[in-house]
Amino acid sequence: MPPSLPATINIREPRWDQSTFQGRAKHFFMVTDPRNLLLSGATLEEARRVVEDYRAGTVHPGLTEDQLWRAKYIYDSAFHPDTGEKMILVGRMSAQVPMNMTITGCMLTFYRTTPAVLFWQWVNQSFNAVVNYTNRSGDAPITPSQLGTAYVSATTGAVVTALGLKSLTKHLPAIIGRYVPFAAVAAANCINIPLMRQRELKLGIPVTDENGNRLGESTAAAQKAIFQVVVSRIGMAAPAMAIPPVIMNMLEKRAFLKRYPYLNAPLQVSLVGLCLVFATPLCCALFPQKSSMPVSSLEPEVQDQIRKKDPWLETVYFNKGL
């Protein structure tokens, strides 16, 4: 019989060192793996049982360390880190590559007409609204009116930006027009994410000590978390929306695509997918998931609250969301 697995492995943290970009990249390549979408409900529940039992000190007979980490990453891919609730399928980070490659590829393909711009920007913002809600930080609920405001504002911002830039680029080289969708997506991210997480900006997100003990809620931490997510999301979209237009612009001048124009959309989607396979985890890895900030940077009242609990504490931690 192999020796029993010790109950001292810290699976509340990622397997790889999160203080380094390489460690965070390895972690997010696992979290964003699209194959996780194909896992059955029974597999997800079994992973949850293994993880929760292990955290409670119960080690399943015959469980190996690799199996434990596999269960942990299956659990992380489907369940919210703060609430423990099963996340909406299309809102999970493992859905980012297949969903974004389809939507982004179509935005880059059908950008010439106003109805197409309106439709694909609406589809993109509908998807983003689901993702932002699903991956919000903290365990605070969001009201239907807040959801509606964020959704309508981001969609309007994206459409206005796209249509405004489209009209300005009519007399410019075709390659310039291909970058209009990226500008619209970047603008929408700056609107959608803060609005979708406005409750965090008003009431704060949970901050903890190094051991995960909750110390209070901070709006300063929420501001930092949301800023990091906005930067990551724009960075995630940049390669997929900047590289394929250059390649497609060259291909469209060749005889091949003139002869087979129906291959335009599949080629565009495939190029975007290739970019996203790497851009998604690498841009998620720009900042640690368990972010931190000095106690001295928090609001005065939160500092006082923490000092009463631990006068010597210098750093707090929080889940920045995705």
Side-chain angles (χ1 to χ4, degrees), residues 107-108 111-112 165-166 168-183 239-253 268 271:
M107 277 198 295
L108 293 175
Y111 67 93
R112 291 184 174 91
L165 290 175
K166 181 175 177 291
L168 292 174
T169 57
K170 280 182 179 177
H171 305 294
L172 295 175
I175 186 65
I176 303 297
R178 288 181 178 273
Y179 288 101
V180 168
F182 173 62
M241 302 191 82
I243 298 172
V246 175
I247 297 173
M248 292 304 297
N249 198 57
M250 292 188 296
L251 289 177
E252 285 182 358
K253 295 175 182 177
Q268 192 100 247
L271 286 170

PDB file of all heavy atoms in Angstrom, residues 107-108 111-112 165-166 168-183 239-253 268 271:
ATOM      1  N   MET A 107     -16.552  39.819 -34.887  1.00  0.00           N
ATOM      2  CA  MET A 107     -16.467  41.288 -34.837  1.00  0.00           C
ATOM      3  C   MET A 107     -15.451  41.797 -35.849  1.00  0.00           C
ATOM      4  O   MET A 107     -15.650  42.834 -36.487  1.00  0.00           O
ATOM      5  CB  MET A 107     -16.067  41.750 -33.425  1.00  0.00           C
ATOM      6  CG  MET A 107     -17.208  41.834 -32.449  1.00  0.00           C
ATOM      7  SD  MET A 107     -16.821  42.844 -31.003  1.00  0.00           S
ATOM      8  CE  MET A 107     -15.529  41.887 -30.236  1.00  0.00           C
ATOM      9  N   LEU A 108     -14.321  41.068 -35.978  1.00  0.00           N
ATOM     10  CA  LEU A 108     -13.268  41.489 -36.901  1.00  0.00           C
ATOM     11  C   LEU A 108     -13.628  41.197 -38.358  1.00  0.00           C
ATOM     12  O   LEU A 108     -13.106  41.840 -39.271  1.00  0.00           O
ATOM     13  CB  LEU A 108     -11.959  40.779 -36.551  1.00  0.00           C
ATOM     14  CG  LEU A 108     -11.315  41.154 -35.207  1.00  0.00           C
ATOM     15  CD1 LEU A 108     -10.094  40.293 -34.932  1.00  0.00           C
ATOM     16  CD2 LEU A 108     -10.938  42.638 -35.187  1.00  0.00           C
ATOM     17  N   TYR A 111     -17.254  43.948 -39.759  1.00  0.00           N
ATOM     18  CA  TYR A 111     -17.120  45.284 -39.173  1.00  0.00           C
ATOM     19  C   TYR A 111     -17.497  46.387 -40.148  1.00  0.00           C
ATOM     20  O   TYR A 111     -17.491  47.570 -39.794  1.00  0.00           O
ATOM     21  CB  TYR A 111     -15.670  45.508 -38.718  1.00  0.00           C
ATOM     22  CG  TYR A 111     -14.670  45.577 -39.859  1.00  0.00           C
ATOM     23  CD1 TYR A 111     -14.310  46.796 -40.429  1.00  0.00           C
ATOM     24  CD2 TYR A 111     -14.117  44.424 -40.394  1.00  0.00           C
ATOM     25  CE1 TYR A 111     -13.422  46.858 -41.479  1.00  0.00           C
ATOM     26  CE2 TYR A 111     -13.228  44.477 -41.437  1.00  0.00           C
ATOM     27  CZ  TYR A 111     -12.875  45.696 -41.982  1.00  0.00           C
ATOM     28  OH  TYR A 111     -12.001  45.743 -43.047  1.00  0.00           O
ATOM     29  N   ARG A 112     -17.866  46.007 -41.382  1.00  0.00           N
ATOM     30  CA  ARG A 112     -18.052  47.022 -42.417  1.00  0.00           C
ATOM     31  C   ARG A 112     -19.431  47.676 -42.398  1.00  0.00           C
ATOM     32  O   ARG A 112     -19.581  48.824 -42.810  1.00  0.00           O
ATOM     33  CB  ARG A 112     -17.789  46.405 -43.796  1.00  0.00           C
ATOM     34  CG  ARG A 112     -16.320  46.046 -44.024  1.00  0.00           C
ATOM     35  CD  ARG A 112     -16.117  45.532 -45.451  1.00  0.00           C
ATOM     36  NE  ARG A 112     -14.708  45.323 -45.747  1.00  0.00           N
ATOM     37  CZ  ARG A 112     -14.078  44.166 -45.557  1.00  0.00           C
ATOM     38  NH1 ARG A 112     -14.734  43.133 -45.053  1.00  0.00           N
ATOM     39  NH2 ARG A 112     -12.802  44.042 -45.858  1.00  0.00           N
ATOM     40  N   LEU A 165     -15.994  55.720 -34.391  1.00  0.00           N
ATOM     41  CA  LEU A 165     -14.699  55.495 -35.037  1.00  0.00           C
ATOM     42  C   LEU A 165     -14.870  54.991 -36.468  1.00  0.00           C
ATOM     43  O   LEU A 165     -14.069  55.307 -37.345  1.00  0.00           O
ATOM     44  CB  LEU A 165     -13.883  54.482 -34.222  1.00  0.00           C
ATOM     45  CG  LEU A 165     -13.381  54.986 -32.863  1.00  0.00           C
ATOM     46  CD1 LEU A 165     -12.686  53.867 -32.102  1.00  0.00           C
ATOM     47  CD2 LEU A 165     -12.431  56.167 -33.037  1.00  0.00           C
ATOM     48  N   LYS A 166     -15.920  54.198 -36.691  1.00  0.00           N
ATOM     49  CA  LYS A 166     -16.179  53.685 -38.041  1.00  0.00           C
ATOM     50  C   LYS A 166     -16.417  54.839 -39.016  1.00  0.00           C
ATOM     51  O   LYS A 166     -15.911  54.835 -40.146  1.00  0.00           O
ATOM     52  CB  LYS A 166     -17.386  52.755 -38.001  1.00  0.00           C
ATOM     53  CG  LYS A 166     -17.747  52.127 -39.339  1.00  0.00           C
ATOM     54  CD  LYS A 166     -18.886  51.135 -39.154  1.00  0.00           C
ATOM     55  CE  LYS A 166     -19.325  50.546 -40.485  1.00  0.00           C
ATOM     56  NZ  LYS A 166     -19.995  51.552 -41.330  1.00  0.00           N
ATOM     57  N   LEU A 168     -15.292  57.855 -38.687  1.00  0.00           N
ATOM     58  CA  LEU A 168     -14.059  58.635 -38.834  1.00  0.00           C
ATOM     59  C   LEU A 168     -13.041  57.955 -39.738  1.00  0.00           C
ATOM     60  O   LEU A 168     -12.159  58.611 -40.296  1.00  0.00           O
ATOM     61  CB  LEU A 168     -13.427  58.875 -37.456  1.00  0.00           C
ATOM     62  CG  LEU A 168     -14.185  59.798 -36.503  1.00  0.00           C
ATOM     63  CD1 LEU A 168     -13.507  59.829 -35.135  1.00  0.00           C
ATOM     64  CD2 LEU A 168     -14.260  61.214 -37.077  1.00  0.00           C
ATOM     65  N   THR A 169     -13.146  56.631 -39.869  1.00  0.00           N
ATOM     66  CA  THR A 169     -12.132  55.892 -40.637  1.00  0.00           C
ATOM     67  C   THR A 169     -12.585  55.569 -42.065  1.00  0.00           C
ATOM     68  O   THR A 169     -11.909  54.801 -42.759  1.00  0.00           O
ATOM     69  CB  THR A 169     -11.778  54.577 -39.912  1.00  0.00           C
ATOM     70  OG1 THR A 169     -12.976  53.795 -39.729  1.00  0.00           O
ATOM     71  CG2 THR A 169     -11.166  54.840 -38.559  1.00  0.00           C
ATOM     72  N   LYS A 170     -13.690  56.134 -42.491  1.00  0.00           N
ATOM     73  CA  LYS A 170     -14.215  55.822 -43.828  1.00  0.00           C
ATOM     74  C   LYS A 170     -13.216  56.142 -44.935  1.00  0.00           C
ATOM     75  O   LYS A 170     -13.119  55.425 -45.937  1.00  0.00           O
ATOM     76  CB  LYS A 170     -15.510  56.603 -44.074  1.00  0.00           C
ATOM     77  CG  LYS A 170     -16.743  55.976 -43.420  1.00  0.00           C
ATOM     78  CD  LYS A 170     -17.983  56.769 -43.751  1.00  0.00           C
ATOM     79  CE  LYS A 170     -19.221  56.131 -43.109  1.00  0.00           C
ATOM     80  NZ  LYS A 170     -20.452  56.921 -43.365  1.00  0.00           N
ATOM     81  N   HIS A 171     -12.483  57.231 -44.770  1.00  0.00           N
ATOM     82  CA  HIS A 171     -11.573  57.665 -45.825  1.00  0.00           C
ATOM     83  C   HIS A 171     -10.116  57.318 -45.509  1.00  0.00           C
ATOM     84  O   HIS A 171      -9.202  57.818 -46.165  1.00  0.00           O
ATOM     85  CB  HIS A 171     -11.725  59.178 -46.041  1.00  0.00           C
ATOM     86  CG  HIS A 171     -13.141  59.601 -46.320  1.00  0.00           C
ATOM     87  ND1 HIS A 171     -13.821  59.222 -47.459  1.00  0.00           N
ATOM     88  CD2 HIS A 171     -14.024  60.336 -45.586  1.00  0.00           C
ATOM     89  CE1 HIS A 171     -15.052  59.722 -47.437  1.00  0.00           C
ATOM     90  NE2 HIS A 171     -15.193  60.390 -46.308  1.00  0.00           N
ATOM     91  N   LEU A 172      -9.914  56.474 -44.514  1.00  0.00           N
ATOM     92  CA  LEU A 172      -8.561  56.048 -44.156  1.00  0.00           C
ATOM     93  C   LEU A 172      -8.292  54.656 -44.723  1.00  0.00           C
ATOM     94  O   LEU A 172      -9.224  53.970 -45.173  1.00  0.00           O
ATOM     95  CB  LEU A 172      -8.412  56.043 -42.629  1.00  0.00           C
ATOM     96  CG  LEU A 172      -8.526  57.408 -41.942  1.00  0.00           C
ATOM     97  CD1 LEU A 172      -8.475  57.238 -40.428  1.00  0.00           C
ATOM     98  CD2 LEU A 172      -7.420  58.351 -42.415  1.00  0.00           C
ATOM     99  N   PRO A 173      -7.037  54.206 -44.745  1.00  0.00           N
ATOM    100  CA  PRO A 173      -6.731  52.861 -45.250  1.00  0.00           C
ATOM    101  C   PRO A 173      -7.565  51.795 -44.548  1.00  0.00           C
ATOM    102  O   PRO A 173      -7.908  51.923 -43.367  1.00  0.00           O
ATOM    103  CB  PRO A 173      -5.241  52.704 -44.935  1.00  0.00           C
ATOM    104  CG  PRO A 173      -4.711  54.094 -44.902  1.00  0.00           C
ATOM    105  CD  PRO A 173      -5.831  54.936 -44.348  1.00  0.00           C
ATOM    106  N   ALA A 174      -7.863  50.706 -45.265  1.00  0.00           N
ATOM    107  CA  ALA A 174      -8.733  49.646 -44.749  1.00  0.00           C
ATOM    108  C   ALA A 174      -8.219  49.043 -43.452  1.00  0.00           C
ATOM    109  O   ALA A 174      -8.997  48.663 -42.578  1.00  0.00           O
ATOM    110  CB  ALA A 174      -8.891  48.559 -45.807  1.00  0.00           C
ATOM    111  N   ILE A 175      -6.899  48.962 -43.309  1.00  0.00           N
ATOM    112  CA  ILE A 175      -6.311  48.343 -42.111  1.00  0.00           C
ATOM    113  C   ILE A 175      -6.694  49.105 -40.850  1.00  0.00           C
ATOM    114  O   ILE A 175      -6.852  48.524 -39.773  1.00  0.00           O
ATOM    115  CB  ILE A 175      -4.764  48.254 -42.242  1.00  0.00           C
ATOM    116  CG1 ILE A 175      -4.156  47.480 -41.073  1.00  0.00           C
ATOM    117  CG2 ILE A 175      -4.153  49.640 -42.373  1.00  0.00           C
ATOM    118  CD1 ILE A 175      -4.544  46.047 -41.000  1.00  0.00           C
ATOM    119  N   ILE A 176      -6.862  50.439 -40.975  1.00  0.00           N
ATOM    120  CA  ILE A 176      -7.253  51.256 -39.814  1.00  0.00           C
ATOM    121  C   ILE A 176      -8.654  50.881 -39.355  1.00  0.00           C
ATOM    122  O   ILE A 176      -8.926  50.748 -38.157  1.00  0.00           O
ATOM    123  CB  ILE A 176      -7.195  52.764 -40.149  1.00  0.00           C
ATOM    124  CG1 ILE A 176      -5.797  53.155 -40.635  1.00  0.00           C
ATOM    125  CG2 ILE A 176      -7.600  53.591 -38.933  1.00  0.00           C
ATOM    126  CD1 ILE A 176      -4.705  52.954 -39.605  1.00  0.00           C
ATOM    127  N   GLY A 177      -9.547  50.667 -40.289  1.00  0.00           N
ATOM    128  CA  GLY A 177     -10.921  50.307 -39.947  1.00  0.00           C
ATOM    129  C   GLY A 177     -11.021  48.987 -39.206  1.00  0.00           C
ATOM    130  O   GLY A 177     -11.949  48.766 -38.421  1.00  0.00           O
ATOM    131  N   ARG A 178     -10.060  48.111 -39.448  1.00  0.00           N
ATOM    132  CA  ARG A 178     -10.081  46.806 -38.787  1.00  0.00           C
ATOM    133  C   ARG A 178      -9.823  46.911 -37.279  1.00  0.00           C
ATOM    134  O   ARG A 178     -10.104  45.969 -36.539  1.00  0.00           O
ATOM    135  CB  ARG A 178      -9.030  45.884 -39.414  1.00  0.00           C
ATOM    136  CG  ARG A 178      -9.389  45.404 -40.813  1.00  0.00           C
ATOM    137  CD  ARG A 178      -8.311  44.479 -41.345  1.00  0.00           C
ATOM    138  NE  ARG A 178      -8.646  43.954 -42.661  1.00  0.00           N
ATOM    139  CZ  ARG A 178      -9.362  42.865 -42.878  1.00  0.00           C
ATOM    140  NH1 ARG A 178      -9.851  42.194 -41.850  1.00  0.00           N
ATOM    141  NH2 ARG A 178      -9.613  42.439 -44.105  1.00  0.00           N
ATOM    142  N   TYR A 179      -9.261  48.042 -36.843  1.00  0.00           N
ATOM    143  CA  TYR A 179      -8.951  48.192 -35.412  1.00  0.00           C
ATOM    144  C   TYR A 179     -10.073  48.875 -34.628  1.00  0.00           C
ATOM    145  O   TYR A 179      -9.966  49.053 -33.416  1.00  0.00           O
ATOM    146  CB  TYR A 179      -7.630  48.954 -35.221  1.00  0.00           C
ATOM    147  CG  TYR A 179      -6.445  48.114 -35.592  1.00  0.00           C
ATOM    148  CD1 TYR A 179      -5.802  48.280 -36.816  1.00  0.00           C
ATOM    149  CD2 TYR A 179      -5.978  47.118 -34.735  1.00  0.00           C
ATOM    150  CE1 TYR A 179      -4.732  47.486 -37.173  1.00  0.00           C
ATOM    151  CE2 TYR A 179      -4.902  46.323 -35.090  1.00  0.00           C
ATOM    152  CZ  TYR A 179      -4.279  46.511 -36.308  1.00  0.00           C
ATOM    153  OH  TYR A 179      -3.219  45.707 -36.660  1.00  0.00           O
ATOM    154  N   VAL A 180     -11.138  49.254 -35.322  1.00  0.00           N
ATOM    155  CA  VAL A 180     -12.283  49.862 -34.643  1.00  0.00           C
ATOM    156  C   VAL A 180     -12.875  48.931 -33.583  1.00  0.00           C
ATOM    157  O   VAL A 180     -13.168  49.369 -32.456  1.00  0.00           O
ATOM    158  CB  VAL A 180     -13.346  50.296 -35.673  1.00  0.00           C
ATOM    159  CG1 VAL A 180     -14.660  50.658 -34.966  1.00  0.00           C
ATOM    160  CG2 VAL A 180     -12.845  51.490 -36.479  1.00  0.00           C
ATOM    161  N   PRO A 181     -13.065  47.623 -33.865  1.00  0.00           N
ATOM    162  CA  PRO A 181     -13.622  46.740 -32.826  1.00  0.00           C
ATOM    163  C   PRO A 181     -12.780  46.705 -31.556  1.00  0.00           C
ATOM    164  O   PRO A 181     -13.332  46.644 -30.451  1.00  0.00           O
ATOM    165  CB  PRO A 181     -13.639  45.359 -33.513  1.00  0.00           C
ATOM    166  CG  PRO A 181     -13.747  45.670 -34.966  1.00  0.00           C
ATOM    167  CD  PRO A 181     -12.927  46.917 -35.155  1.00  0.00           C
ATOM    168  N   PHE A 182     -11.451  46.754 -31.694  1.00  0.00           N
ATOM    169  CA  PHE A 182     -10.604  46.721 -30.501  1.00  0.00           C
ATOM    170  C   PHE A 182     -10.810  47.969 -29.650  1.00  0.00           C
ATOM    171  O   PHE A 182     -10.903  47.896 -28.421  1.00  0.00           O
ATOM    172  CB  PHE A 182      -9.129  46.592 -30.882  1.00  0.00           C
ATOM    173  CG  PHE A 182      -8.199  46.723 -29.700  1.00  0.00           C
ATOM    174  CD1 PHE A 182      -8.264  45.810 -28.651  1.00  0.00           C
ATOM    175  CD2 PHE A 182      -7.277  47.760 -29.618  1.00  0.00           C
ATOM    176  CE1 PHE A 182      -7.420  45.925 -27.554  1.00  0.00           C
ATOM    177  CE2 PHE A 182      -6.438  47.875 -28.522  1.00  0.00           C
ATOM    178  CZ  PHE A 182      -6.510  46.963 -27.489  1.00  0.00           C
ATOM    179  N   ALA A 183     -10.877  49.134 -30.301  1.00  0.00           N
ATOM    180  CA  ALA A 183     -11.106  50.384 -29.556  1.00  0.00           C
ATOM    181  C   ALA A 183     -12.445  50.321 -28.825  1.00  0.00           C
ATOM    182  O   ALA A 183     -12.552  50.763 -27.670  1.00  0.00           O
ATOM    183  CB  ALA A 183     -11.071  51.569 -30.512  1.00  0.00           C
ATOM    184  N   PRO A 239      -3.815  41.219 -28.360  1.00  0.00           N
ATOM    185  CA  PRO A 239      -3.203  40.397 -29.419  1.00  0.00           C
ATOM    186  C   PRO A 239      -4.238  39.820 -30.383  1.00  0.00           C
ATOM    187  O   PRO A 239      -4.016  39.777 -31.602  1.00  0.00           O
ATOM    188  CB  PRO A 239      -2.507  39.271 -28.631  1.00  0.00           C
ATOM    189  CG  PRO A 239      -2.351  39.800 -27.252  1.00  0.00           C
ATOM    190  CD  PRO A 239      -3.531  40.678 -27.027  1.00  0.00           C
ATOM    191  N   ALA A 240      -5.374  39.357 -29.834  1.00  0.00           N
ATOM    192  CA  ALA A 240      -6.399  38.722 -30.666  1.00  0.00           C
ATOM    193  C   ALA A 240      -7.063  39.709 -31.616  1.00  0.00           C
ATOM    194  O   ALA A 240      -7.601  39.316 -32.653  1.00  0.00           O
ATOM    195  CB  ALA A 240      -7.453  38.069 -29.778  1.00  0.00           C
ATOM    196  N   MET A 241      -7.042  41.013 -31.261  1.00  0.00           N
ATOM    197  CA  MET A 241      -7.701  42.009 -32.101  1.00  0.00           C
ATOM    198  C   MET A 241      -6.700  42.865 -32.870  1.00  0.00           C
ATOM    199  O   MET A 241      -7.099  43.695 -33.693  1.00  0.00           O
ATOM    200  CB  MET A 241      -8.611  42.896 -31.251  1.00  0.00           C
ATOM    201  CG  MET A 241      -9.674  42.107 -30.503  1.00  0.00           C
ATOM    202  SD  MET A 241     -10.949  43.122 -29.741  1.00  0.00           S
ATOM    203  CE  MET A 241     -12.037  43.417 -31.127  1.00  0.00           C
ATOM    204  N   ALA A 242      -5.395  42.668 -32.617  1.00  0.00           N
ATOM    205  CA  ALA A 242      -4.375  43.466 -33.292  1.00  0.00           C
ATOM    206  C   ALA A 242      -3.606  42.659 -34.341  1.00  0.00           C
ATOM    207  O   ALA A 242      -3.272  43.182 -35.406  1.00  0.00           O
ATOM    208  CB  ALA A 242      -3.396  44.029 -32.265  1.00  0.00           C
ATOM    209  N   ILE A 243      -3.341  41.374 -34.050  1.00  0.00           N
ATOM    210  CA  ILE A 243      -2.533  40.562 -34.970  1.00  0.00           C
ATOM    211  C   ILE A 243      -3.346  40.029 -36.149  1.00  0.00           C
ATOM    212  O   ILE A 243      -2.930  40.179 -37.311  1.00  0.00           O
ATOM    213  CB  ILE A 243      -1.845  39.416 -34.202  1.00  0.00           C
ATOM    214  CG1 ILE A 243      -0.883  39.999 -33.152  1.00  0.00           C
ATOM    215  CG2 ILE A 243      -1.101  38.489 -35.154  1.00  0.00           C
ATOM    216  CD1 ILE A 243      -0.289  38.973 -32.216  1.00  0.00           C
ATOM    217  N   PRO A 244      -4.521  39.395 -35.923  1.00  0.00           N
ATOM    218  CA  PRO A 244      -5.293  38.871 -37.054  1.00  0.00           C
ATOM    219  C   PRO A 244      -5.642  39.906 -38.132  1.00  0.00           C
ATOM    220  O   PRO A 244      -5.589  39.574 -39.321  1.00  0.00           O
ATOM    221  CB  PRO A 244      -6.555  38.316 -36.392  1.00  0.00           C
ATOM    222  CG  PRO A 244      -6.098  37.912 -35.031  1.00  0.00           C
ATOM    223  CD  PRO A 244      -5.128  38.985 -34.635  1.00  0.00           C
ATOM    224  N   PRO A 245      -5.980  41.174 -37.783  1.00  0.00           N
ATOM    225  CA  PRO A 245      -6.281  42.132 -38.853  1.00  0.00           C
ATOM    226  C   PRO A 245      -5.129  42.339 -39.831  1.00  0.00           C
ATOM    227  O   PRO A 245      -5.357  42.485 -41.043  1.00  0.00           O
ATOM    228  CB  PRO A 245      -6.592  43.429 -38.083  1.00  0.00           C
ATOM    229  CG  PRO A 245      -7.114  42.959 -36.779  1.00  0.00           C
ATOM    230  CD  PRO A 245      -6.307  41.737 -36.458  1.00  0.00           C
ATOM    231  N   VAL A 246      -3.902  42.346 -39.320  1.00  0.00           N
ATOM    232  CA  VAL A 246      -2.745  42.529 -40.201  1.00  0.00           C
ATOM    233  C   VAL A 246      -2.619  41.347 -41.161  1.00  0.00           C
ATOM    234  O   VAL A 246      -2.410  41.515 -42.368  1.00  0.00           O
ATOM    235  CB  VAL A 246      -1.449  42.673 -39.369  1.00  0.00           C
ATOM    236  CG1 VAL A 246      -0.227  42.744 -40.276  1.00  0.00           C
ATOM    237  CG2 VAL A 246      -1.518  43.912 -38.483  1.00  0.00           C
ATOM    238  N   ILE A 247      -2.764  40.142 -40.612  1.00  0.00           N
ATOM    239  CA  ILE A 247      -2.642  38.927 -41.427  1.00  0.00           C
ATOM    240  C   ILE A 247      -3.780  38.856 -42.452  1.00  0.00           C
ATOM    241  O   ILE A 247      -3.554  38.577 -43.641  1.00  0.00           O
ATOM    242  CB  ILE A 247      -2.648  37.671 -40.526  1.00  0.00           C
ATOM    243  CG1 ILE A 247      -1.421  37.699 -39.604  1.00  0.00           C
ATOM    244  CG2 ILE A 247      -2.665  36.398 -41.368  1.00  0.00           C
ATOM    245  CD1 ILE A 247      -1.409  36.600 -38.561  1.00  0.00           C
ATOM    246  N   MET A 248      -5.005  39.133 -41.997  1.00  0.00           N
ATOM    247  CA  MET A 248      -6.155  39.058 -42.901  1.00  0.00           C
ATOM    248  C   MET A 248      -6.090  40.134 -43.977  1.00  0.00           C
ATOM    249  O   MET A 248      -6.508  39.910 -45.119  1.00  0.00           O
ATOM    250  CB  MET A 248      -7.461  39.190 -42.108  1.00  0.00           C
ATOM    251  CG  MET A 248      -7.756  38.017 -41.181  1.00  0.00           C
ATOM    252  SD  MET A 248      -7.804  36.422 -42.015  1.00  0.00           S
ATOM    253  CE  MET A 248      -9.187  36.655 -43.138  1.00  0.00           C
ATOM    254  N   ASN A 249      -5.562  41.298 -43.630  1.00  0.00           N
ATOM    255  CA  ASN A 249      -5.438  42.370 -44.615  1.00  0.00           C
ATOM    256  C   ASN A 249      -4.513  41.944 -45.748  1.00  0.00           C
ATOM    257  O   ASN A 249      -4.748  42.256 -46.928  1.00  0.00           O
ATOM    258  CB  ASN A 249      -4.914  43.637 -43.942  1.00  0.00           C
ATOM    259  CG  ASN A 249      -5.180  44.883 -44.772  1.00  0.00           C
ATOM    260  OD1 ASN A 249      -6.323  45.173 -45.111  1.00  0.00           O
ATOM    261  ND2 ASN A 249      -4.122  45.611 -45.115  1.00  0.00           N
ATOM    262  N   MET A 250      -3.447  41.204 -45.405  1.00  0.00           N
ATOM    263  CA  MET A 250      -2.520  40.711 -46.422  1.00  0.00           C
ATOM    264  C   MET A 250      -3.155  39.582 -47.233  1.00  0.00           C
ATOM    265  O   MET A 250      -3.028  39.517 -48.459  1.00  0.00           O
ATOM    266  CB  MET A 250      -1.222  40.225 -45.768  1.00  0.00           C
ATOM    267  CG  MET A 250      -0.383  41.335 -45.154  1.00  0.00           C
ATOM    268  SD  MET A 250       1.248  40.761 -44.604  1.00  0.00           S
ATOM    269  CE  MET A 250       0.777  39.589 -43.313  1.00  0.00           C
ATOM    270  N   LEU A 251      -3.868  38.677 -46.540  1.00  0.00           N
ATOM    271  CA  LEU A 251      -4.465  37.522 -47.223  1.00  0.00           C
ATOM    272  C   LEU A 251      -5.560  37.936 -48.203  1.00  0.00           C
ATOM    273  O   LEU A 251      -5.727  37.321 -49.263  1.00  0.00           O
ATOM    274  CB  LEU A 251      -5.046  36.543 -46.192  1.00  0.00           C
ATOM    275  CG  LEU A 251      -4.044  35.753 -45.356  1.00  0.00           C
ATOM    276  CD1 LEU A 251      -4.765  34.889 -44.328  1.00  0.00           C
ATOM    277  CD2 LEU A 251      -3.164  34.880 -46.247  1.00  0.00           C
ATOM    278  N   GLU A 252      -6.300  38.994 -47.844  1.00  0.00           N
ATOM    279  CA  GLU A 252      -7.399  39.416 -48.706  1.00  0.00           C
ATOM    280  C   GLU A 252      -6.908  40.008 -50.034  1.00  0.00           C
ATOM    281  O   GLU A 252      -7.676  40.149 -50.985  1.00  0.00           O
ATOM    282  CB  GLU A 252      -8.289  40.424 -47.976  1.00  0.00           C
ATOM    283  CG  GLU A 252      -9.183  39.760 -46.931  1.00  0.00           C
ATOM    284  CD  GLU A 252     -10.109  40.734 -46.242  1.00  0.00           C
ATOM    285  OE1 GLU A 252     -10.034  41.955 -46.547  1.00  0.00           O
ATOM    286  OE2 GLU A 252     -10.911  40.299 -45.406  1.00  0.00           O
ATOM    287  N   LYS A 253      -5.637  40.373 -50.070  1.00  0.00           N
ATOM    288  CA  LYS A 253      -5.056  40.888 -51.320  1.00  0.00           C
ATOM    289  C   LYS A 253      -4.557  39.761 -52.219  1.00  0.00           C
ATOM    290  O   LYS A 253      -4.190  39.986 -53.365  1.00  0.00           O
ATOM    291  CB  LYS A 253      -3.902  41.837 -50.994  1.00  0.00           C
ATOM    292  CG  LYS A 253      -4.348  43.093 -50.252  1.00  0.00           C
ATOM    293  CD  LYS A 253      -3.151  43.931 -49.850  1.00  0.00           C
ATOM    294  CE  LYS A 253      -3.594  45.165 -49.062  1.00  0.00           C
ATOM    295  NZ  LYS A 253      -2.441  45.976 -48.596  1.00  0.00           N
ATOM    296  N   GLN A 268     -10.427  33.965 -39.752  1.00  0.00           N
ATOM    297  CA  GLN A 268     -10.360  35.013 -38.734  1.00  0.00           C
ATOM    298  C   GLN A 268     -10.570  34.428 -37.337  1.00  0.00           C
ATOM    299  O   GLN A 268      -9.823  34.734 -36.406  1.00  0.00           O
ATOM    300  CB  GLN A 268     -11.429  36.061 -39.015  1.00  0.00           C
ATOM    301  CG  GLN A 268     -11.299  37.340 -38.232  1.00  0.00           C
ATOM    302  CD  GLN A 268     -10.661  38.446 -39.053  1.00  0.00           C
ATOM    303  OE1 GLN A 268      -9.561  38.868 -38.759  1.00  0.00           O
ATOM    304  NE2 GLN A 268     -11.341  38.918 -40.074  1.00  0.00           N
ATOM    305  N   LEU A 271      -7.477  32.369 -36.245  1.00  0.00           N
ATOM    306  CA  LEU A 271      -6.345  33.218 -35.862  1.00  0.00           C
ATOM    307  C   LEU A 271      -6.568  33.831 -34.480  1.00  0.00           C
ATOM    308  O   LEU A 271      -5.661  33.886 -33.650  1.00  0.00           O
ATOM    309  CB  LEU A 271      -6.144  34.329 -36.904  1.00  0.00           C
ATOM    310  CG  LEU A 271      -5.535  33.907 -38.241  1.00  0.00           C
ATOM    311  CD1 LEU A 271      -5.634  35.047 -39.254  1.00  0.00           C
ATOM    312  CD2 LEU A 271      -4.071  33.496 -38.062  1.00  0.00           C
TER     313      LEU A 271
END
